[in-house]
Amino acid sequence: AQKVTQAQTEISVVEKEDVTLDCVYETRDTTYYLFWYKQPPSGELVFLIRRNSFDEQNEISGRYSWNFQKSTSSFNFTITASQVVDSAVYFCALSEAPFTGGGNKLTFGTGTQLKVEL
Amino acid sequence: GAVVSQHPSRVICKSGTSVKIECRSLDFQATTMFWYRQFPKQSLMLMATSNEGSKATYEQGVEKDKFLINHASLTLSTLTVTSAHPEDSSFYICSARDWREAGGIQDTQYFGPGTRLTVL
């Protein structure tokens, strides 16, 4: 069975601080996908990134960066120089790869509420 | 990017009535769509997987006669909450699977904005 753990329930930072959101996953699959989604107060889930299990390169997109460590089954997300608009709930998720019969079902973590204050 | 719409965004109904929620992929075709339910301050709970042209697959504990799903086209799936009761009040979110092989396999779920259902 797949499992995603986001141990940080809520994080509060002051604007311009860097913040890292942790994500640890469990799966027996050798091929899988990892995702991060942002859910602002409006409720819509916004896709941030998809990472294939065979690609351990870290990725940077503007102020966002992701650190994928297969050895520790972690896929952490860092926001540099946080802004008030970053305030949201962030979900880490895991799915099986295509053609494995899992149909791309996502297993979500419980989410981390990030509050960025002035 | 891929866009998924959901309608209505908010609905209030009386107990015993049925409510239909539409989920549309606007700029891509989705053979698979998913329906989730989210309670306040909780994670998303997958209710069912909707496959175009076939019956939906429901997760354990989800009543298929209560939550009717129809995926009649490659861009539209509907969820009907039948004989709604106050305990069905929740935030319902759909997602559409965007799967393509251009430039490597791309397989991502894009989410709609959600529907807030309140049953009085």
Side-chain angles (χ1 to χ4, degrees):
Chain A
Q2 297 183 328
K3 184 179 179 181
V4 176
T5 301
Q6 294 179 256
Q8 303 152 308
T9 305
E10 188 171 315
I11 301 175
S12 290
V13 298
V14 176
E15 203 175 38
K16 297 184 182 177
E17 286 185 0
D18 298 347
V19 59
T20 296
L21 309 181
D22 298 333
C23 173
V24 175
Y25 63 93
E26 296 176 29
T27 181
R28 294 181 179 176
D29 299 319
T30 54
T31 305
Y32 50 89
Y33 292 151
L34 293 162
F35 302 81
W36 276 95
Y37 289 90
K38 173 183 180 180
Q39 187 176 38
S42 61
E44 179 175 1
L45 267 80
V46 177
F47 167 74
L48 297 178
I49 189 171
R50 181 192 68 250
R51 172 61 71 213
N52 301 329
S53 55
F54 48 83
D55 180 3
E56 285 194 71
Q57 281 192 342
N58 292 327
E59 183 157 337
I60 297 174
S61 176
R63 296 185 296 108
Y64 296 169
S65 63
W66 291 269
N67 184 284
F68 178 29
Q69 298 277 347
K70 229 173 172 178
S71 59
T72 56
S73 297
S74 65
F75 186 43
N76 296 337
F77 173 31
T78 297
I79 301 175
T80 303
S82 59
Q83 300 175 2
V84 173
V85 293
D86 296 326
S87 297
V89 179
Y90 291 86
F91 289 99
C92 180
L94 167 71
S95 79
E96 296 175 2
F99 308 116
T100 59
N104 188 237
K105 284 166 57 169
L106 286 172
T107 299
F108 281 90
T110 49
T112 297
Q113 171 79 60
L114 174 64
K115 294 183 179 179
V116 182
E117 300 165 335
L118 292 171
Chain B
V3 180
V4 177
S5 71
Q6 213 172 314
H7 178 81
S9 58
R10 191 178 294 267
V11 58
I12 300 173
C13 69
K14 292 182 180 180
S15 186
T17 60
S18 294
V19 175
K20 180 185 281 188
I21 302 170
E22 292 187 350
C23 178
R24 294 181 186 271
S25 56
L26 298 186
D27 51 0
F28 66 100
Q29 293 183 330
T31 55
T32 305
M33 292 184 174
F34 301 87
W35 288 95
Y36 295 84
R37 186 173 179 175
Q38 186 180 31
F39 291 102
K41 298 189 183 297
Q42 293 190 25
S43 189
L44 282 76
M45 181 191 79
L46 178 65
M47 300 175 65
T49 302
S50 170
N51 296 300
E52 187 267 337
S54 64
K55 290 183 179 180
T57 303
Y58 291 82
E59 295 299 300
Q60 192 171 9
V62 178
E63 300 175 60
K64 58 183 179 182
D65 295 330
K66 173 76 170 175
F67 300 100
L68 300 179
I69 291 172
N70 183 275
H71 194 155
S73 77
L74 288 172
T75 59
L76 173 64
S77 175
T78 60
L79 168 69
T80 301
V81 182
T82 61
S83 187
H85 290 285
E87 58 265 30
D88 298 323
S89 298
S90 190
F91 190 57
Y92 292 88
I93 310 176
C94 73
S95 71
R97 182 183 184 188
D98 184 10
W99 188 91
R100 60 189 78 181
E101 291 190 69
I105 294 176
Q106 311 287 332
D107 191 0
T108 300
Q109 282 187 41
Y110 293 95
F111 286 79
T115 296
R116 175 88 48 203
L117 170 63
T118 302
V119 185
L120 302 176

